[in-house]
Amino acid sequence: MTDVDVVVVGAGLAGLSAARKLVAAGKTVRILEARDRVAGRNFGGSLNNGVAVELGGQWVGPGQDTVLALIDELGLETFPTYDAGDALTVFDGQKIRYSDATFGLPVESLAEIARVWGQLEMLAASVPLEAPWQAESAAEWDRQTFDDWLSANTTDNLALRFFRVVMPTLFCAETPEVSLLHLLFYVRAGNGLASMLAVTGGAQELRVVGGTHRISERMATELGNRVQLGAVVRTISQTNSAVTVTYENHDGTETGTVTARNVIVAIPPTLAGRIRYLPPLPSARDSLTQQFPAGSVIKFQIGYPTPFWRDAGLSGFVTSLDDAFNVVLDNSPCDGSCGVLVGFLDGAHAREAAQLSTQERHKLVLDALVKYFGPQAGEPFDILEKDWSAEEFTRGCYGGRLAAGALTHFGKALAEPVGRIHWAGAETAQQWSGYMDGAITSGRRAASEILDTV
Amino acid sequence: MTDVDVVVVGAGLAGLSAARKLVAAGKTVRILEARDRVAGRNFGGSLNNGVAVELGGQWVGPGQDTVLALIDELGLETFPTYDAGDALTVFDGQKIRYSDATFGLPVESLAEIARVWGQLEMLAASVPLEAPWQAESAAEWDRQTFDDWLSANTTDNLALRFFRVVMPTLFCAETPEVSLLHLLFYVRAGNGLASMLAVTGGAQELRVVGGTHRISERMATELGNRVQLGAVVRTISQTNSAVTVTYENHDGTETGTVTARNVIVAIPPTLAGRIRYLPPLPSARDSLTQQFPAGSVIKFQIGYPTPFWRDAGLSGFVTSLDDAFNVVLDNSPCDGSCGVLVGFLDGAHAREAAQLSTQERHKLVLDALVKYFGPQAGEPFDILEKDWSAEEFTRGCYGGRLAAGALTHFGKALAEPVGRIHWAGAETAQQWSGYMDGAITSGRRAASEILDTV
């Protein structure tokens, strides 16, 4: 006899979705969450005027049917990301307003970007989501970094710079750090680059009233005392008949164990690799988690008395090829009670800015915003920031990436169960990999693996 | 008051060398070793006739002054790797004998190899060993994989294949998996490619009588009961005044703690990242260990009644551009009492072969040896193999590598102490990084950090 049927490690969207499905099927479940909160890479903060802002994953959009249905089912509401007016693109000291699909770039570079973009989408379309390592050209694509492919496919300076700014917004890593094959998989899993990068009509179209962490919170409320917070899982032992999961509290002074028939590990690969497994995991699985680093990103929410940029006919959307703080969007609350801009330091910029003092980092951010939106942008009433790489129980966002060579050799081990151990988490998803939608489906898939075999 | 002055995690060459230096300076030390043996990536086995063979790191050579002096100091002896007679190179179905520096390759390809090789050595010469990320071209080199650089620098098919076989013998990974900058650093740290690849006159020149693990064993004997085996370190907590190291036994059923003034973590980066640190480590250090995977290698020792290849005038040295089991050397004992061939499956070959049954894998190896040395090679009296990626307390050999982008951003965190925590291990060395010599100097360096500040 075991304490419960299934232990779930991690109370993010993946783990909670897994638990919910198992409970609905009549299973007894315990969810062990290291933090004192649920929701993992979704995290709700509030500006000092009380307005809720998302310090982690925040957008949903068309094609993400699973998360949209779940939001609805849980009685939550979405509202559109503000997207009226002109966007800005900054390059070579110029600040260009545009309201079409041109990114404000000169027509020659734009044509080149469109050509390269189309080529990428075409390659991505042939990647089998269930086994990207079986793509016909998998070996060739996995030998290349995305930067290799990019520089072999265009010599247009602006096009190169554009992709070298845009790609880090997906993986929070630089173009040489990502395997072309992993990028192509990711693009296909996200319904294509156009969908991934767009606000209206794309993955940034909608927000959740009150913040995306409420999705997890509502699931956790339903699951009640099955969710155990402050339980840092350290060891998973399995025998032919059961698993034993050992955890400790934050300062390591108290420990506990839960026994179960199965365990679902629903945390990012790089954290999953830190748990001790008895017997030790197969080498392919271990090698995979040795090289699945999470991205580098510092997210900022900057509050202003009003969304003043709207008065100037601006949407708040900025892409800069010149600056570190290079992607900005309007993130004001739906009631318009104040103005909020959200923006990111990602990849190399995040790593460099992490070495600065908070004051220096805020200055870097505000200097960029003043450049984009004028002097008013220099006078926020509050700035919140979250460096996800510094979080012990995440260690990087948005998700993990694979460098050249890893996906073909070790990709199969990402979601393949090891005896009674099952793997979930956004990285293991085949649709919307790395997104909230993918996290949910990954948890349900892991639950199904258990339900289908019992 | 603490239990000891310093805790050392890991009783490989690095940890033992650190401990020895600290003890010599009058410090009290406890060494916690996860395995039931010392010596880490050095591991002594014996063929079924009792002849000792090395299942891990085994060669030393000129320029490795530190390890050579230590061998001498500990009363151990070296003897030359057998290197008389002709070597073999296999490519395109041909088997070429050679006894010069030509690798048996056609002169045009050889000239091209020499040119590329020279270029590499020249670039490597400008990498500052104490801070490779400060090389003048660091950013440019770290954006490239070694494969990028290689394919941009030669179109000669045999030259490409040659380097794509030779490089995995250094990192046990494929050419696209290694940053050019990391490779250049590694080459410079190893006194240049010529020295690293040569038997006589190079890093494979000498062996240790009885096996290299005896170096660690002799140090451990000196250190006596300061060495605690079977202690798997799980948590390192530090305060302003002390560290507490928590460990458990192999099956996790018993735990213990040791307090100290400082701790030296002398295990590979990918394993160091699995320890829980309280307070959590800075993000740069954590990001580094998330992406410092260890190589993939299965090492074979194949025993024959006699070193029969010598009778045919062969040295036993083989390089094959056609086969998976592509690097072989004579590893017979110095008394000539039997014949031993040592060889490797590395990088992709190791990963693929790990999926085979032992029988299939041995067939793969013997088929290659028969091809190289004739039918007698198919009749060994014993075969030993060691897949280092499957070892819970190593998880890959010979050492760690960095993919494109990591060294410039995170390299500084590799050896930089974090409060009372110091880092050692072959990967942290500036001279002979990844080698036994580097492991020893890294341990002594870490010990000095502590001695110099007390």
Side-chain angles (χ1 to χ4, degrees), chain A residues 147-148 234 250 276 392, chain B residues 143 148 234 248 250 276:
Chain A
D147 202 76
D148 291 339
R234 302 300 313 277
H250 281 185
R276 189 170 180 220
E392 183 186 7
Chain B
R143 289 186 74 81
D148 290 340
R234 301 300 311 278
E248 65 188 25
H250 282 186
R276 191 171 178 218

Side-chain angles (χ1 to χ4, degrees), chain A residues 142-145 147-148 164 174-177 232 234-235 237 248-252 270 273-278 280-284 286-287 289-296 347-349 351-352 354-355 387 389-390 392-396 401 403-406 409-410, chain B residues 142-145 147-148 164 174-177 232 234-235 237 248-252 270 273-278 280-284 286-287 289-296 347-349 351-352 354-355 387 389-390 392-396 401 403-406 409-410:
Chain A
D142 205 30
R143 288 186 75 82
Q144 298 173 62
T145 68
D147 202 76
D148 291 339
R164 285 179 181 151
E174 302 300 308
T175 48
E177 297 180 290
V232 184
R234 302 300 313 277
T235 305
S237 311
E248 65 188 26
N249 63 350
H250 281 185
D251 60 8
T270 194
R274 301 174 190 199
I275 292 172
R276 189 170 180 220
Y277 299 88
L278 295 170
L281 296 181
S283 59
D286 194 273
S287 292
T289 55
Q290 285 185 37
Q291 52 197 300
F292 212 139
S296 305
H349 298 131
R351 296 164 195 162
E352 284 152 17
Q355 312 301 320
D387 177 355
S389 295
E392 183 186 7
F393 302 122
T394 301
R395 285 300 190 186
R401 69 179 178 277
H409 284 124
F410 305 119
Chain B
D142 205 30
R143 289 186 74 81
Q144 297 173 64
T145 69
D147 201 76
D148 290 340
R164 286 179 181 149
E174 302 300 309
T175 47
E177 298 180 288
V232 184
R234 301 300 311 278
T235 304
S237 311
E248 65 188 25
N249 62 349
H250 282 186
D251 60 9
T270 194
R274 300 175 191 198
I275 292 172
R276 191 171 178 218
Y277 299 88
L278 295 170
L281 296 180
S283 59
D286 194 273
S287 293
T289 55
Q290 285 184 38
Q291 53 196 300
F292 213 139
S296 305
H349 299 131
R351 295 162 196 164
E352 284 151 18
Q355 311 301 319
D387 178 354
S389 295
E392 183 185 8
F393 302 122
T394 302
R395 285 300 190 185
R401 69 180 177 278
H409 283 124
F410 304 120

Side-chain angles (χ1 to χ4, degrees), chain B residues 311-347:
Chain B
D311 302 335
L314 294 172
S315 67
F317 187 75
V318 184
T319 308
S320 171
L321 310 189
D322 292 356
D323 302 277
F325 191 66
N326 57 17
V327 177
V328 179
L329 293 95
D330 184 318
N331 203 38
S332 308
C334 52
D335 64 6
S337 58
C338 70
V340 180
L341 291 171
V342 58
F344 304 88
L345 290 167
D346 55 32

Side-chain angles (χ1 to χ4, degrees), chain B residues 201-257:
Chain B
Q204 284 68 237
E205 180 173 290
L206 296 169
R207 298 170 55 200
V208 173
V209 177
T212 48
H213 62 286
R214 296 179 77 199
I215 308 172
S216 290
E217 286 180 356
R218 295 233 167 156
M219 287 197 281
T221 301
E222 274 184 19
L223 291 163
N225 62 10
R226 296 180 187 91
V227 181
Q228 182 174 344
L229 300 176
V232 184
V233 169
R234 301 300 311 278
T235 304
I236 296 176
S237 311
Q238 63 173 319
T239 63
N240 285 341
S241 56
V243 296
T244 302
V245 181
T246 306
Y247 58 89
E248 65 188 25
N249 62 349
H250 282 186
D251 60 9
T253 51
E254 287 171 35
T255 62
T257 60

Side-chain angles (χ1 to χ4, degrees), chain A residues 6-23 29 41 66 70 219 263-267 415 422-432 435-452:
Chain A
V6 182
V7 168
V8 175
V9 180
L13 285 171
L16 293 165
S17 299
R20 200 161 175 258
K21 178 160 182 163
L22 291 165
V23 168
V29 174
R41 287 176 266 184
T66 307
L70 180 60
M219 286 196 282
V263 59
I264 295 175
V265 178
I267 57 180
H422 301 258
W423 312 103
E427 283 84 355
T428 71
Q430 293 176 9
Q431 295 278 356
W432 293 104
Y435 284 76
M436 290 187 265
D437 195 85
I440 297 164
T441 55
S442 81
R444 292 179 183 171
R445 185 257 311 142
S448 293
E449 288 167 5
I450 294 168
L451 295 173
D452 292 352

Side-chain angles (χ1 to χ4, degrees), chain B residues 108-416:
Chain B
E108 324 78 64
S109 290
L110 189 69
E112 183 61 2
I113 287 170
R115 191 188 61 78
V116 172
W117 185 308
Q119 250 187 297
L120 257 187
E121 302 271 23
M122 200 184 63
L123 298 184
S126 74
V127 176
L129 290 181
E130 69 290 356
W133 51 89
Q134 285 174 357
E136 205 182 314
S137 305
E140 184 198 330
W141 292 341
D142 205 30
R143 289 186 74 81
Q144 297 173 64
T145 69
F146 176 61
D147 201 76
D148 290 340
W149 182 87
L150 189 60
S151 31
N153 279 277
T154 183
T155 54
D156 184 281
N157 188 272
L158 272 185
L160 282 170
R161 286 167 65 196
F162 175 80
F163 284 106
R164 286 179 181 149
V165 163
V166 161
M167 282 306 156
T169 68
L170 300 180
F171 280 114
C172 299
E174 302 300 309
T175 47
E177 298 180 288
V178 183
S179 147
L180 173 62
L181 180 63
H182 196 207
L183 178 85
L184 293 174
F185 161 75
Y186 199 81
V187 165
R188 170 127 199 249
N191 280 359
L193 212 46
S195 132
M196 296 166 95
L197 296 178
V199 177
T200 304
Q204 284 68 237
E205 180 173 290
L206 296 169
R207 298 170 55 200
V208 173
V209 177
T212 48
H213 62 286
R214 296 179 77 199
I215 308 172
S216 290
E217 286 180 356
R218 295 233 167 156
M219 287 197 281
T221 301
E222 274 184 19
L223 291 163
N225 62 10
R226 296 180 187 91
V227 181
Q228 182 174 344
L229 300 176
V232 184
V233 169
R234 301 300 311 278
T235 304
I236 296 176
S237 311
Q238 63 173 319
T239 63
N240 285 341
S241 56
V243 296
T244 302
V245 181
T246 306
Y247 58 89
E248 65 188 25
N249 62 349
H250 282 186
D251 60 9
T253 51
E254 287 171 35
T255 62
T257 60
V258 197
T259 59
R261 302 277 298 166
N262 296 88
V263 59
I264 295 174
V265 178
I267 58 180
T270 194
L271 296 186
R274 300 175 191 198
I275 292 172
R276 191 171 178 218
Y277 299 88
L278 295 170
L281 296 180
S283 59
R285 169 74 199 180
D286 194 273
S287 293
L288 177 75
T289 55
Q290 285 184 38
Q291 53 196 300
F292 213 139
S296 305
V297 60
I298 309 176
K299 183 173 184 177
F300 294 83
Q301 299 277 6
I302 304 111
Y304 299 94
T306 63
F308 63 88
W309 52 91
R310 295 181 184 177
D311 302 335
L314 294 172
S315 67
F317 187 75
V318 184
T319 308
S320 171
L321 310 189
D322 292 356
D323 302 277
F325 191 66
N326 57 17
V327 177
V328 179
L329 293 95
D330 184 318
N331 203 38
S332 308
C334 52
D335 64 6
S337 58
C338 70
V340 180
L341 291 171
V342 58
F344 304 88
L345 290 167
D346 55 32
H349 299 131
R351 295 162 196 164
E352 284 151 18
Q355 311 301 319
L356 303 176
S357 69
T358 306
Q359 201 180 355
E360 290 168 327
R361 205 162 39 243
H362 287 189
K363 181 174 184 319
L364 181 160
V365 165
L366 292 181
D367 285 353
L369 290 173
V370 166
K371 179 171 161 183
Y372 306 150
F373 299 113
Q376 268 186 284
E379 292 171 15
F381 65 79
D382 198 11
I383 304 184
L384 295 181
E385 63 170 16
K386 176 61 89 184
D387 178 354
W388 284 92
S389 295
E391 292 275 305
E392 183 185 8
F393 302 122
T394 302
R395 285 300 190 185
C397 274
Y398 315 133
R401 69 180 177 278
L402 294 166
L407 185 52
T408 40
H409 283 124
F410 304 120
K412 194 160 173 278
L414 179 55
E416 193 170 66

